[in-house]
Amino acid sequence: MNAKQCVLTGLIGLSFGVGFAATQTKAEAYSTYKSIPHALRGYYISYRDNDSLKISQHMVVGGSPLADSYSYHVTKVNYSHHIYHIHSYMELGSRSYYTLKLNHYAKAKIKSGNAHYQKVSKARYYYFLNHFNPDYTYSYDSGPVYKY
């Protein structure tokens, strides 16, 4: 009797699994956009890597405080599993094509390469670019932490 119950339970579980798999639709998690989606647009700062990103609808501007910035013109964006592949080009005498890979791993945080960026206000972004101070680092929990 115990063997009968095991076999019966196995058959019920197998039939349920086959029925569930037959009714499930295939989910495509890949999208293509002509411009950068609203969720990704904004001003981002990486205090640890001393870098910044300004992401708008058709441009990504990357730069460091008190230094040059580089503008990438967006041609299309591919999105899959929280990762954005931003296909763009840069004009420096001739046109150079780039693909920027951004991992949108939290609501206000992205990762590009080894740099982790946090979304900030426009005022904090421009203050960071114009007032670089090498004597402090920034803690996301408590603000500026001075090194002595």
Side-chain angles (χ1 to χ4, degrees):
M1 186 141 175
N2 194 8
K4 257 188 189 178
Q5 289 178 347
C6 289
V7 170
L8 187 59
T9 305
L11 286 174
I12 291 172
L14 183 63
S15 65
F16 179 76
V18 170
F20 182 75
T23 60
Q24 187 177 11
T25 60
K26 184 177 178 184
E28 290 292 329
Y30 184 82
S31 301
T32 301
Y33 304 103
K34 292 182 180 179
S35 63
I36 296 178
H38 288 279
L40 200 60
R41 296 180 197 170
Y43 301 92
Y44 295 89
I45 293 176
S46 175
Y47 292 101
R48 185 180 57 164
D49 296 315
N50 198 28
D51 201 10
S52 65
L53 286 176
K54 176 183 172 185
I55 302 174
S56 62
Q57 185 175 3
H58 294 289
M59 287 190 81
V60 176
V61 179
S64 297
L66 302 176
D68 289 338
S69 61
Y70 297 101
S71 299
Y72 301 94
H73 302 274
V74 176
T75 56
K76 72 175 182 175
V77 179
N78 294 332
Y79 172 75
S80 177
H81 303 293
H82 302 289
I83 296 176
Y84 292 89
H85 293 273
I86 300 173
H87 301 277
S88 59
Y89 65 90
M90 181 187 298
E91 296 273 349
L92 292 174
S94 64
R95 190 174 277 195
S96 301
Y97 291 92
Y98 294 95
T99 300
L100 302 170
K101 181 179 174 184
L102 300 178
N103 183 357
H104 193 221
Y105 65 93
K107 183 177 180 182
K109 296 180 181 181
I110 60 173
K111 180 183 175 199
S112 175
N114 291 331
H116 293 267
Y117 295 89
Q118 181 173 353
K119 196 170 200 176
V120 295
S121 67
K122 183 177 180 180
R124 180 171 282 199
Y125 172 80
Y126 283 109
Y127 184 83
F128 175 76
L129 290 180
N130 294 322
H131 297 90
F132 173 66
N133 186 355
D135 293 332
Y136 75 87
T137 58
Y138 192 88
S139 170
Y140 292 115
D141 299 327
S142 61
V145 178
Y146 291 93
K147 299 186 284 187
Y148 294 105

